[in-house]
Amino acid sequence: MLALRLTLGTHPLVLLRRLLVAAASAGVGFLLLSALGYAVGHPGESPAALRRLLWCVLPLAATVHFAVAVARTDPGTRPRTGLSALGLGPARMAALAAASTAVSCTLGSAVALLVFLHLRGDLTGLPFDGAAAELLASGHPLPPAATVTLLAVVPLVASVAAGLTLRPRRKPLPEEGAAPAVEDRAAPPRRTPAAPAGLPWGVALIAVGLAIETYAAEDGSGAAVTLPRGVLAGWVLASLGLALAGPGVTHLCGRLLQAARPGAMRLLAGRALMEEARRIGRPLGVACAVAAATLTATTLYAGGGERPYGPLTGLGAGLVLGCTAATLLTAALESRQTRVDTKDALLRLGASRALLRTAAGVRALALLVVFAPLTWAVAALAVLPLRG
């Protein structure tokens, strides 16, 4: 009940983000029900039904990623001073964030069920002259247990992911007999933030994925609809590599901005990128992976072939693109919120607002200059074996 009140009594912008999570959840729920409808209407085509169900994994992952990003930036579920005395400590607030995520996703699943039943004609007759009757297996009864199970997937996975992400981390206890830490007023300034360790692994995954795709494409026809399984596995590995390398590439951008005797503007921009590499690097890597996959698919389907799953392919692709873009914007908003204190301190020290705005523009330009060619290169290398 408390989670529902926190959901309804928040800022309009926060409520809008939760409604977007509900909309994404509705889209994924509709895709899952469509896969169930195909399986019910075509009982002898189990492999095709399984492929349709597996296609829903990508929109599901994008929706869960977006839901976790929204939960991280939710001001209503952040630990605050004095709430621990009321029993609302960090662990309880993480549980409330997970419950709020479950409420939003459950709303979306309910909307998906209503829309699906309406298009099947189970509520008020077949709409649109029965155009969706064959696609949604109208006239075949849906198994209730399977329907409820599929609709519960998104709320369950998203709430668990949000709870695990926001759970409080315990600090390591000092060793027995160790002297307590004493503040050293003459201590040197804080060192430069370390390079996230995911860059070498990300590059390795990209290389392995492209190698697997090249090897698998030699025995395949290269058709857009009948791609070999090895090609798809190579795409997945290359995309995971991009997502894993995102924080490291962002950190590298920050270091490059501070090279060669930088001024105050480049120092501010570079240090901010290095500090926020883990927060914005992962969504940037995921966005590059989705963009590379989109460029590859667009190149393959440029000839005008039939899409493998009809309109559901477009719905799934739209969900992935929309959730990825929304996650990136949400991460940027979270990064901006974490820099409020630093921004105020710089303004008190005499820094101009124009300098801060210019530094923000330089950060965005540096990321664009580095990530855009990287995305294009991965997409070009991914489509090259299929074109050859």
Side-chain angles (χ1 to χ4, degrees), residues 263-266 268 346 350-361 363:
M265 180 185 62
R266 283 201 291 150
L268 286 176
L346 290 173
S352 63
R353 295 185 180 273
L355 175 64
L356 299 181
R357 287 193 296 267
T358 305
R363 289 197 302 269

Side-chain angles (χ1 to χ4, degrees), residues 269-348:
R271 179 54 67 96
L273 281 181
M274 295 172 69
E275 290 284 351
E276 301 296 329
R278 299 181 186 275
R279 180 174 287 109
I280 66 175
R282 187 61 52 81
L284 271 174
V286 173
C288 288
V290 172
T294 303
L295 290 175
T296 304
T298 302
T299 303
L300 291 178
Y301 286 96
E306 182 182 358
R307 290 178 293 185
Y309 307 129
L312 299 180
T313 303
L315 175 59
L319 282 174
V320 173
L321 292 174
C323 289
T324 302
T327 302
L328 184 58
L329 292 177
T330 304
L333 178 62
E334 181 185 9
S335 176
R336 181 181 179 183
Q337 292 174 349
T338 57
R339 292 198 306 268
V340 170
D341 295 337
T342 303
K343 178 181 178 181
D344 294 340
L346 290 173
L347 290 176
R348 288 194 300 268

Side-chain angles (χ1 to χ4, degrees), residues 52 127 206 252 299 313 369:
R52 287 172 177 263
I206 295 173
L252 182 62
T299 303
T313 303
V369 167

Side-chain angles (χ1 to χ4, degrees), residues 34 49 62 90 97 143 162 209 244 254 268 277 291 354 378 383:
S34 300
L244 190 60
L268 286 176
V378 172
V383 80

Side-chain angles (χ1 to χ4, degrees), residues 4-253:
L4 181 60
R5 295 189 63 180
L6 288 175
T7 301
L8 297 177
T10 55
H11 192 273
L13 184 59
V14 178
L15 188 59
L16 175 61
R17 292 201 295 265
R18 289 175 175 171
L19 289 178
L20 290 178
V21 172
S25 176
V28 177
F30 186 84
L31 286 176
L32 291 172
L33 291 178
S34 300
L36 176 61
Y38 183 86
V40 170
H42 303 79
E45 301 181 11
S46 299
L50 180 60
R51 286 195 298 268
R52 287 172 177 263
L53 187 61
L54 291 178
W55 164 241
C56 301
V57 173
L58 293 178
L60 173 63
T63 299
V64 171
H65 193 207
F66 177 43
V68 172
V70 170
R72 286 172 58 92
T73 57
D74 191 350
T77 56
R78 291 179 181 174
R80 280 166 282 186
T81 305
L83 291 180
S84 298
L86 300 176
L88 296 176
R92 183 67 182 278
M93 298 304 289
L96 285 177
S100 300
T101 303
V103 169
S104 301
C105 294
T106 302
L107 175 62
S109 296
V111 173
L113 178 61
L114 292 177
V115 173
F116 184 78
L117 294 178
H118 175 66
L119 293 178
R120 276 172 47 93
D122 296 338
L123 298 180
T124 59
L126 283 174
F128 308 113
D129 297 329
E134 183 179 357
L135 181 64
L136 305 181
S138 177
H140 296 274
L142 296 176
T147 302
V148 174
T149 301
L150 289 178
L151 289 177
V153 168
V154 181
L156 180 62
V157 175
S159 60
V160 170
L164 292 178
T165 303
L166 300 178
R167 74 186 188 279
R169 270 73 172 179
R170 292 185 178 181
K171 296 182 179 180
L173 297 176
E175 298 182 1
E176 184 177 357
V182 180
E183 182 182 0
D184 186 4
R185 298 183 181 275
R190 187 174 57 178
R191 295 181 299 176
T192 301
L199 183 57
W201 293 104
V203 174
L205 279 180
I206 295 173
V208 170
L210 293 176
I212 291 177
E213 179 192 351
T214 303
Y215 177 77
E218 294 178 355
D219 299 329
S221 62
V225 178
T226 59
L227 288 176
R229 295 181 180 178
V231 174
L232 297 178
W235 283 1
V236 172
L237 285 179
S239 299
L240 288 177
L242 274 175
L244 190 60
V249 176
T250 304
H251 190 274
L252 182 62
C253 290

